[in-house]
Coordinates of all heavy atoms in Angstrom, one line a residue:
S1 N -76.8 -203.3 103.3 CA -78.0 -202.8 102.6 C -79.1 -202.7 103.6 O -79.1 -203.4 104.7 CB -78.4 -203.7 101.5 OG -77.4 -203.8 100.5
I2 N -80.0 -201.9 103.4 CA -81.2 -201.7 104.3 C -82.5 -202.0 103.5 O -82.7 -201.5 102.4 CB -81.3 -200.3 104.9 CG1 -80.0 -200.0 105.7 CG2 -82.5 -200.1 105.7 CD1 -79.9 -198.6 106.2
V3 N -83.3 -202.9 104.0 CA -84.5 -203.3 103.4 C -85.7 -202.8 104.3 O -85.7 -203.2 105.5 CB -84.6 -204.8 103.1 CG1 -86.0 -205.2 102.6 CG2 -83.5 -205.2 102.1
L4 N -86.6 -202.0 103.7 CA -87.7 -201.4 104.5 C -89.0 -202.1 104.2 O -89.4 -202.3 103.0 CB -87.8 -199.9 104.2 CG -86.5 -199.1 104.4 CD1 -86.8 -197.7 103.8 CD2 -86.1 -199.0 105.8
V5 N -89.7 -202.5 105.2 CA -91.0 -203.3 105.1 C -92.1 -202.5 105.7 O -92.1 -202.3 107.0 CB -90.9 -204.7 105.7 CG1 -92.2 -205.5 105.5 CG2 -89.7 -205.4 105.1
H6 N -93.1 -202.1 105.0 CA -94.2 -201.2 105.5 C -95.2 -202.1 106.3 O -95.1 -203.3 106.2 CB -94.8 -200.4 104.4 CG -95.6 -201.3 103.4 ND1 -96.8 -201.8 103.6 CD2 -95.2 -201.6 102.1 CE1 -97.2 -202.5 102.5 NE2 -96.3 -202.4 101.6
G7 N -96.1 -201.5 106.9 CA -97.1 -202.1 107.7 C -98.4 -202.2 107.0 O -98.5 -202.0 105.7
A8 N -99.5 -202.5 107.7 CA -100.8 -202.6 107.1 C -101.4 -201.2 106.8 O -101.0 -200.2 107.4 CB -101.8 -203.3 108.1
F9 N -102.3 -201.2 105.8 CA -103.2 -200.0 105.5 C -102.4 -199.0 104.6 O -103.0 -198.1 104.1 CB -103.7 -199.3 106.7 CG -104.3 -200.2 107.7 CD1 -103.8 -200.3 109.0 CD2 -105.4 -201.0 107.4 CE1 -104.3 -201.2 109.9 CE2 -106.0 -201.9 108.3 CZ -105.4 -202.0 109.6
V10 N -101.1 -199.1 104.5 CA -100.3 -198.2 103.7 C -99.4 -198.9 102.8 O -99.4 -200.1 102.8 CB -99.4 -197.3 104.7 CG1 -100.3 -196.4 105.6 CG2 -98.5 -198.2 105.5
D11 N -98.6 -198.2 102.0 CA -97.6 -198.8 101.1 C -96.2 -198.3 101.4 O -96.0 -197.5 102.3 CB -98.0 -198.7 99.6 CG -98.0 -197.3 99.1 OD1 -97.5 -196.4 99.8 OD2 -98.5 -197.0 98.0
G12 N -95.3 -198.6 100.5 CA -93.9 -198.3 100.7 C -93.6 -196.8 100.6 O -92.5 -196.3 100.9
S13 N -94.5 -196.0 100.0 CA -94.3 -194.6 99.8 C -94.1 -193.8 101.2 O -93.5 -192.8 101.2 CB -95.4 -193.9 99.0 OG -96.6 -194.0 99.7
G14 N -94.6 -194.4 102.3 CA -94.4 -193.8 103.6 C -92.9 -193.7 104.0 O -92.6 -193.0 104.9
W15 N -92.1 -194.5 103.3 CA -90.6 -194.5 103.7 C -89.9 -193.4 103.0 O -88.6 -193.4 103.1 CB -90.0 -195.9 103.3 CG -90.5 -197.1 104.1 CD1 -91.2 -198.1 103.6 CD2 -90.2 -197.4 105.5 NE1 -91.4 -199.0 104.6 CE2 -90.8 -198.6 105.7 CE3 -89.5 -196.7 106.5 CZ2 -90.8 -199.2 107.0 CZ3 -89.5 -197.3 107.7 CH2 -90.1 -198.5 108.0
K16 N -90.5 -192.6 102.2 CA -89.8 -191.7 101.3 C -88.7 -190.9 102.0 O -87.5 -190.9 101.5 CB -90.7 -190.8 100.6 CG -90.1 -189.8 99.6 CD -91.1 -188.9 98.9 CE -90.4 -188.0 97.9 NZ -89.5 -187.0 98.5
D17 N -89.0 -190.2 103.0 CA -88.0 -189.4 103.7 C -86.9 -190.2 104.3 O -85.7 -189.9 104.2 CB -88.7 -188.5 104.8 CG -89.5 -187.4 104.2 OD1 -89.4 -187.1 103.0 OD2 -90.3 -186.8 104.9
T18 N -87.3 -191.3 105.0 CA -86.3 -192.2 105.5 C -85.3 -192.8 104.5 O -84.1 -192.8 104.6 CB -86.9 -193.3 106.3 OG1 -87.8 -192.8 107.3 CG2 -85.9 -194.2 107.0
Y19 N -85.9 -193.2 103.4 CA -85.2 -193.7 102.2 C -84.1 -192.6 101.8 O -83.0 -193.0 101.5 CB -86.1 -194.0 101.1 CG -85.5 -194.3 99.8 CD1 -85.1 -195.6 99.4 CD2 -85.2 -193.3 98.8 CE1 -84.5 -195.9 98.2 CE2 -84.5 -193.6 97.7 CZ -84.2 -194.9 97.3 OH -83.6 -195.2 96.2
S20 N -84.6 -191.4 101.6 CA -83.7 -190.4 101.1 C -82.5 -190.1 102.1 O -81.4 -190.0 101.6 CB -84.5 -189.1 100.9 OG -85.5 -189.2 99.9
I21 N -82.8 -190.1 103.4 CA -81.8 -189.8 104.4 C -80.7 -190.9 104.3 O -79.5 -190.7 104.3 CB -82.4 -189.6 105.7 CG1 -83.3 -188.4 105.8 CG2 -81.3 -189.6 106.8 CD1 -84.2 -188.3 107.0
L22 N -81.2 -192.2 104.3 CA -80.3 -193.3 104.4 C -79.5 -193.4 103.0 O -78.3 -193.8 103.1 CB -81.0 -194.6 104.6 CG -81.7 -194.7 106.0 CD1 -82.6 -195.9 106.1 CD2 -80.6 -194.8 107.1
S23 N -80.2 -193.1 101.9 CA -79.5 -193.2 100.6 C -78.4 -192.1 100.6 O -77.2 -192.4 100.1 CB -80.5 -193.0 99.5 OG -81.4 -194.0 99.4
E24 N -78.7 -190.9 101.1 CA -77.6 -189.9 101.1 C -76.5 -190.2 102.0 O -75.4 -189.7 101.8 CB -78.3 -188.6 101.5 CG -79.2 -188.0 100.4 CD -80.1 -186.9 101.0 OE1 -79.9 -186.5 102.1 OE2 -81.0 -186.4 100.2
A25 N -76.7 -191.1 102.9 CA -75.6 -191.5 103.8 C -74.8 -192.7 103.2 O -73.9 -193.1 103.9 CB -76.2 -192.0 105.2
G26 N -75.1 -193.1 102.0 CA -74.3 -194.1 101.3 C -74.8 -195.5 101.3 O -74.2 -196.4 100.8
Y27 N -76.0 -195.7 101.9 CA -76.6 -197.0 102.0 C -77.4 -197.4 100.7 O -78.0 -196.5 100.1 CB -77.5 -197.2 103.2 CG -76.9 -197.1 104.5 CD1 -76.7 -196.0 105.2 CD2 -76.3 -198.3 105.0 CE1 -76.1 -195.9 106.4 CE2 -75.7 -198.3 106.3 CZ -75.6 -197.1 107.0 OH -74.9 -197.1 108.2
E28 N -77.3 -198.7 100.3 CA -78.2 -199.2 99.4 C -79.5 -199.4 100.1 O -79.5 -200.2 101.1 CB -77.7 -200.5 98.7 CG -78.8 -201.1 97.8 CD -78.4 -202.5 97.3 OE1 -78.0 -203.3 98.2 OE2 -78.7 -202.8 96.2
V29 N -80.6 -198.8 99.7 CA -81.9 -198.9 100.4 C -82.9 -199.5 99.4 O -83.1 -199.0 98.3 CB -82.4 -197.6 100.9 CG1 -83.7 -197.8 101.8 CG2 -81.3 -196.9 101.8
L30 N -83.6 -200.6 99.9 CA -84.6 -201.2 99.1 C -85.9 -201.2 99.8 O -85.9 -201.4 101.0 CB -84.2 -202.7 98.7 CG -82.9 -202.9 97.9 CD1 -81.7 -203.1 98.8 CD2 -83.1 -204.0 96.9
V31 N -87.0 -201.0 99.1 CA -88.3 -200.9 99.7 C -89.2 -202.0 99.2 O -89.4 -202.2 98.0 CB -89.0 -199.5 99.4 CG1 -90.4 -199.4 100.0 CG2 -88.1 -198.4 99.8
V32 N -89.8 -202.8 100.2 CA -90.7 -203.8 99.8 C -92.1 -203.3 99.6 O -92.6 -202.5 100.4 CB -90.7 -204.9 100.9 CG1 -91.6 -206.1 100.6 CG2 -89.3 -205.4 101.2
Q33 N -92.8 -203.7 98.6 CA -94.2 -203.4 98.4 C -95.0 -204.6 98.5 O -95.4 -205.2 97.5 CB -94.3 -202.7 97.0 CG -93.8 -201.3 96.9 CD -94.7 -200.2 97.5 OE1 -95.4 -200.5 98.4 NE2 -94.6 -199.0 96.9
Q34 N -95.2 -205.1 99.7 CA -95.9 -206.3 99.9 C -97.4 -206.0 99.9 O -97.9 -204.9 100.4 CB -95.5 -207.0 101.2 CG -96.0 -206.5 102.5 CD -95.1 -205.4 103.0 OE1 -94.3 -204.8 102.3 NE2 -95.3 -205.1 104.3
P35 N -98.3 -206.9 99.5 CA -99.7 -206.6 99.3 C -100.5 -206.7 100.6 O -101.7 -206.2 100.6 CB -100.2 -207.7 98.3 CG -99.2 -208.8 98.5 CD -97.9 -208.2 98.8

C-alpha cells in the first residue's frame, strides 16, 4: 500500500493526480489529512 503525507500550507488534495496514477496501477493508495 502507499500512504501519502502532504506538507505545510496545503492539504491532501494536491495528491489527486499522483493518487489516480498509482491507483490505476493497482496500488491501494491512502491520503493523510493531517492538520
Side-chain angles (χ1 to χ4, degrees):
S1 300
I2 297 171
V3 174
L4 304 173
V5 182
H6 65 79
F9 315 116
V10 296
D11 65 12
S13 63
W15 293 113
K16 181 178 182 296
D17 289 344
T18 304
Y19 170 92
S20 297
I21 294 165
L22 292 170
S23 296
E24 289 167 6
Y27 290 95
E28 178 191 38
V29 185
L30 298 93
V31 180
V32 181
Q33 288 280 28
Q34 77 272 19

